[in-house]
Amino acid sequence: MNNNYHLCNLPNSWEWRRIKYVLKSLESGGRENSKEDSFEGQALSIGGEHIGWKGEWLLTENPRFVSFEYFNSMRSGHIRNMDVLLVKDGATIGKTAIADELPYEKIAVNEHVFILRFDNSVLPRFGFYVIQSRMAQEQIYLEVRGSAQPGLNTEFRHKVQFPLPPLATQLVITNFLDRETTQIDNLIAAKEQMLTLLEEKREALISHAVTRGLDPNVAFKRSGLDWLGDIPQHWNIERAKGLFREVDNRTTTGEEELLSLRMHVGLVPHHDVSDKILEPKDVIGFKKVETGQLVINRMRASMGLIAISPQNGLVSPDYAVFDIVKLIHIPYFLALFNTSLVGALFRSSSKGLGTGSSGFLRLYSESFLSIHFPVPSLEEQKEITNFLDQEQQKTGELENALTDSIALLKERRSALITAAVTGQIALEEMTS
């Protein structure tokens, strides 16, 4: 047995076997190198990105394909009905799925996924649940090798232990887990839908507040801006050029602290969010930024990568840095810039970099400075952001409660699978 992992005691009719003794085959596949961008409609190619946390196939957003010619030339990696898939390297090592419903006639795994094909001593769905269990996952992680690109090689089959009950018991366990995990998954899905609705409500609330204000009885006027529509009658419209002025001071020493913009985090020290170490010589020519200046990632402005710098430092040359030249309440403008309305405006105001790069857009400073924005009075800007802060606190508490509940359900799901496949739940309980 694997001396690095403590295995629980099994019921009398069960036994532990190294996983190699319950497999007919263990194989991986590949994905062709080709100038073709897509072989859509040919053979489906499954990678780690196509396997979800609970074993579902994620094919709606980024399906990948190989040519029929390449598929037919593959010596291994063709997926058959009821094969179990295991991600063997990358960020999702250990995720597993079962090929119980094949969406295409010809499907193969790439080089990042193993196919586990069990012999007649194991029901495929039981094998799927075993591999998904915490017991198996912990053993698998003990066999991950490498530092630059950690992963599993085929040697893991000689170490990982597999609980093997009689086939009739496997069927009881599989039926039980199918039923129980479906109920848990439905609860999780409902709570995740609530989180989505809360996010949509939050976005709508922010968008309304920063473009329409808080007074339901206020008179409106036309803004003259297609993207904005009507605004409160007493609000102004001003060009960004009247609010911000670009500054472009470059470091000659590279000694200042490097800062990076991160989604939902803001501008933070680079070493807090990246393992990449940059020496002073690597950042000579980067832009200096001072506390209180506005920083925009020009490549990701439409995604809300805009923040006020909390400290002095350096930022990438791809960022734009601005002084605030008018007395404004910057949290109001950050809320405005993060709406989907302004995100779409930033995208339409962006330009491609170089020939044929229309999908790679940059919001140039002159384009940003030419945009017109709604400007309430300073007092109303503060009232709006105070209101949004209060609402965010309310929804934040509910979001945290939902997130915690989802985490508990996922933990219960994992514990339930592990207990069932290791004989810790009586058969009578699973059939009642």
Side-chain angles (χ1 to χ4, degrees):
M1 285 193 176
N2 187 339
N3 294 326
N4 295 320
Y5 186 84
H6 175 71
L7 299 171
C8 64
N9 294 323
L10 298 176
N12 289 334
S13 59
W14 297 35
E15 62 177 307
W16 286 108
R17 287 191 188 176
R18 288 188 176 88
I19 197 168
K20 69 175 182 177
Y21 294 121
V22 295
L23 290 175
K24 280 196 294 188
S25 64
L26 174 67
E27 59 190 63
S28 188
R31 189 176 283 163
E32 65 197 300
N33 293 320
S34 172
K35 294 181 180 179
E36 292 283 342
D37 290 333
S38 170
F39 294 100
E40 187 171 354
Q42 297 194 46
L44 188 65
S45 177
I46 299 297
E49 70 273 21
H50 299 126
I51 298 176
W53 68 268
K54 59 185 178 182
E56 73 276 28
W57 287 32
L58 308 174
L59 299 174
T60 56
E61 292 188 3
N62 185 33
R64 299 287 299 275
F65 299 87
V66 294
S67 66
F68 287 142
E69 180 182 5
Y70 181 82
F71 177 87
N72 292 331
S73 72
M74 293 174 65
R75 295 183 177 181
S76 63
H78 291 174
I79 297 176
R80 302 177 190 171
N81 188 47
M82 301 308 289
D83 280 348
V84 174
L85 312 183
L86 174 66
V87 180
K88 69 187 192 68
D89 52 44
T92 58
I93 292 175
K95 284 192 177 180
T96 186
I98 186 167
D100 52 357
E101 294 182 11
L102 301 181
Y104 285 75
E105 182 180 350
K106 294 186 175 182
I107 312 177
V109 294
N110 70 4
E111 67 275 18
H112 303 296
V113 179
F114 277 134
I115 293 175
L116 283 69
R117 197 164 290 139
F118 290 97
D119 65 21
N120 293 333
S121 68
V122 177
L123 298 177
R125 287 198 66 78
F126 180 77
F128 161 68
Y129 281 123
V130 169
I131 300 301
Q132 200 178 53
S133 72
R134 184 185 303 147
M135 172 272 304
Q137 290 288 308
E138 290 178 357
Q139 290 187 81
I140 285 169
Y141 268 94
L142 287 174
E143 302 307 318
V144 172
R145 300 290 183 264
S147 55
Q149 175 71 339
L152 287 172
N153 58 41
T154 57
E155 292 303 304
F156 86 93
R157 62 184 168 172
H158 300 293
K159 299 290 186 65
V160 174
Q161 295 285 335
F162 191 97
L164 187 64
L167 285 171
T169 302
Q170 293 180 36
L171 182 60
V172 171
I173 293 171
T174 297
N175 290 337
F176 169 75
L177 288 176
D178 284 347
R179 182 175 67 251
E180 294 298 316
T181 57
T182 296
Q183 291 179 2
I184 293 173
D185 292 344
N186 288 341
L187 279 173
I188 291 172
K191 291 177 184 292
E192 289 176 337
Q193 178 63 20
M194 289 179 67
L195 281 174
T196 299
L197 292 174
L198 277 175
E199 179 58 27
E200 292 174 355
K201 180 181 178 182
R202 186 185 72 86
E203 163 66 22
L205 182 72
I206 293 172
S207 183
H208 186 276
V210 297
T211 60
R212 299 291 186 271
L214 304 178
D215 185 355
N217 301 313
V218 70
F220 287 90
K221 66 180 180 182
R222 292 182 178 178
S223 68
L225 303 174
D226 291 340
W227 69 270
L228 183 57
D230 295 344
I231 60 171
Q233 197 168 47
H234 59 287
W235 285 22
N236 295 324
I237 295 291
E238 297 190 34
R239 286 179 69 190
K241 188 175 182 179
L243 307 173
F244 310 103
R245 180 181 66 243
E246 186 175 19
V247 292
D248 191 354
N249 299 322
R250 306 289 178 126
T251 181
T252 57
T253 65
E255 296 291 343
E256 300 89 345
E257 183 168 24
L258 181 62
L259 308 174
S260 293
L261 269 170
R262 288 295 183 269
M263 190 71 70
H264 307 305
V265 177
L267 196 65
V268 296
H270 180 77
H271 59 73
D272 285 355
V273 292
S274 175
D275 294 328
K276 186 176 182 180
I277 298 175
L278 295 175
E279 302 295 337
K281 62 181 177 60
D282 298 322
V283 295
I284 289 176
F286 276 40
K287 293 181 179 180
K288 290 184 179 180
V289 62
E290 297 179 359
T291 303
Q293 288 181 321
L294 181 73
V295 180
I296 300 178
N297 182 334
R298 292 183 292 184
M299 314 299 288
R300 301 287 186 270
S302 63
M303 298 167 61
L305 283 177
I306 303 174
I308 291 295
S309 182
Q311 65 180 84
N312 294 349
L314 296 177
V315 294
S316 165
D318 284 329
Y319 293 0
V321 180
F322 299 90
D323 278 334
I324 299 167
V325 298
K326 184 171 182 175
L327 185 59
I328 59 175
H329 188 54
I330 194 61
Y332 165 81
F333 283 91
L334 291 179
L336 177 67
F337 294 160
N338 275 279
T339 61
S340 57
L341 272 175
V342 174
L345 177 64
F346 284 163
R347 279 191 295 276
S348 66
S349 302
S350 298
K351 299 177 182 178
L353 289 172
T355 304
S357 58
S358 58
F360 194 45
L361 299 176
R362 173 180 295 202
L363 180 64
Y364 286 95
S365 299
E366 58 268 25
S367 297
F368 170 71
L369 291 172
S370 69
I371 296 175
H372 291 78
F373 295 111
V375 182
S377 68
L378 182 63
E379 181 181 357
E380 194 167 356
Q381 292 174 39
K382 293 179 179 178
E383 288 176 355
I384 289 170
T385 54
N386 287 339
F387 167 77
L388 292 176
D389 287 344
Q390 292 170 9
E391 292 299 310
Q392 177 58 36
Q393 183 174 355
K394 295 176 187 176
T395 57
E397 291 172 355
L398 183 53
E399 286 174 349
N400 289 339
L402 284 169
T403 301
D404 290 345
S405 178
I406 290 171
L408 287 172
L409 283 169
K410 288 183 176 180
E411 176 64 24
R412 169 171 163 69
R413 186 185 196 278
S414 176
L416 185 71
I417 291 172
T418 301
V421 301
T422 56
Q424 308 306 304
I425 302 176
L427 290 180
E428 294 77 11
E429 290 184 41
M430 289 190 275
T431 55
S432 61

